[in-house]
Amino acid sequence: DTGVSQNPRHKITKRGQNVTFRCDPISEHNRLYWYRQTLGQGPEFLTYFQNEAQLEKSRLLSDRFSAERPKGSFSTLEIQRTEQGDSAMYLCASSQDRPYGYTFGSGTRLTVV
Amino acid sequence: DQQVKQNSPSLSVQEGRISILNCDYTNSMFDYFLWYKKYPAEGPTFLISISSIKDKNEDGRFTVFLNKSAKHLSLHIVPSQPGDSAVYFCAASSGGSNYKLTFGKGTLLTVNP
């Protein structure tokens, strides 16, 4: 078990393109979270899965964003028609069924040019 | 609105001295508080937490104090070490089963040898 893995680490894309990020949580963790962090800010909650069910989505997650967690294992976050404002660090975290103290991955840094 | 506030963007301390990082919150529904540490190019790492039913929690060199009436918490690191240099985020949760966290903007701690 090597912790939460996120790929790619960096992504540069042109405005209007679609991008997809992947998160592999710690294997026994049933909860998975996506957060977004922009420069000078703390991480902001985007969405949460318990097993394969997406149970909550932030209003930050516009209809251009979609997240999946098929079979309750890895998760993907897709951004369609990227905009410059989507440039940020996208963080994935996972936890077991206990409160708090989740384990974060190293993040995917997205730059939209 | 910023529900979790870290008003000091940065703090510089001499090695061996005490570091005190502060955090204020506005949401009375928050009942669990955490501190995360973040190095550049890595995800946040869980450091220490405290439930709202306590006023102090200690783990080695790290102690978190909670003053519910003032809606204020602080992280004390003693003695500070150069390896403690990082960005520290305060985070809070309002309960429920999703364990969603609201983060402050972070404080950059620099411990000088």
Side-chain angles (χ1 to χ4, degrees):
Chain A
D1 177 9
T2 55
V4 178
S5 176
Q6 290 189 247
N7 288 289
R9 291 294 305 273
H10 303 276
K11 178 71 177 178
I12 300 174
T13 191
K14 290 184 179 179
R15 189 175 51 186
Q17 298 293 305
N18 298 343
V19 293
T20 300
F21 311 139
R22 176 176 171 128
C23 171
D24 288 272
I26 293 172
S27 56
E28 62 267 28
H29 287 182
N30 62 345
R31 294 168 179 267
L32 186 146
Y33 303 82
W34 285 98
Y35 282 76
R36 181 174 72 183
Q37 185 179 10
T38 53
L39 197 62
Q41 302 293 318
E44 295 173 291
F45 172 80
L46 291 179
T47 191
Y48 151 65
F49 290 85
Q50 184 162 354
N51 300 310
E52 67 275 11
Q54 187 175 19
L55 296 184
E56 186 168 348
K57 291 181 359 177
S58 162
R59 56 184 169 82
L60 292 176
L61 218 63
S62 76
D63 55 8
R64 296 185 298 106
F65 288 70
S66 62
E68 294 182 342
R69 192 183 182 197
K71 302 178 184 178
S73 56
F74 70 93
S75 176
T76 57
L77 178 67
E78 181 183 16
I79 309 175
Q80 297 183 327
R81 305 182 303 281
T82 52
E83 301 173 356
Q84 287 189 319
D86 297 331
S87 296
M89 173 74 82
Y90 290 84
L91 293 162
C92 176
S94 71
S95 75
Q96 291 178 305
D97 203 7
R98 62 169 178 81
Y100 323 118
Y102 354 114
T103 301
F104 279 90
S106 296
T108 294
R109 179 164 295 284
L110 172 66
T111 302
V112 182
V113 297
Chain B
D1 64 329
Q2 195 79 16
Q3 296 186 66
V4 177
K5 301 177 184 178
Q6 294 178 256
N7 292 319
S8 298
S10 63
L11 175 68
S12 184
V13 170
Q14 284 299 119
E15 181 179 4
R17 297 291 189 101
I18 185 170
S19 296
I20 300 176
L21 295 99
N22 294 304
C23 177
D24 297 293
Y25 62 96
T26 57
N27 188 341
S28 300
M29 299 301 291
F30 288 147
D31 63 358
Y32 207 89
F33 304 90
L34 305 89
W35 286 93
Y36 279 82
K37 175 179 177 180
K38 187 180 184 302
Y39 293 117
E42 294 183 12
T45 303
F46 171 71
L47 200 55
I48 192 169
S49 63
I50 188 167
S51 165
S52 59
I53 62 174
K54 297 186 175 181
D55 55 18
K56 177 182 174 181
N57 188 27
E58 192 171 353
D59 184 1
R61 296 186 298 115
F62 303 92
T63 303
V64 56
F65 295 92
L66 175 63
N67 182 335
K68 281 187 65 179
S69 61
K71 293 190 177 66
H72 177 83
L73 63 155
S74 60
L75 174 68
H76 292 210
I77 306 173
V78 55
S80 301
Q81 300 173 353
D84 296 329
S85 298
V87 177
Y88 288 77
F89 290 101
C90 173
S93 179
S94 55
S97 60
N98 62 8
Y99 309 145
K100 177 175 67 177
L101 296 178
T102 301
F103 284 83
K105 292 186 178 184
T107 296
L108 173 62
L109 173 66
T110 302
V111 180
N112 301 301

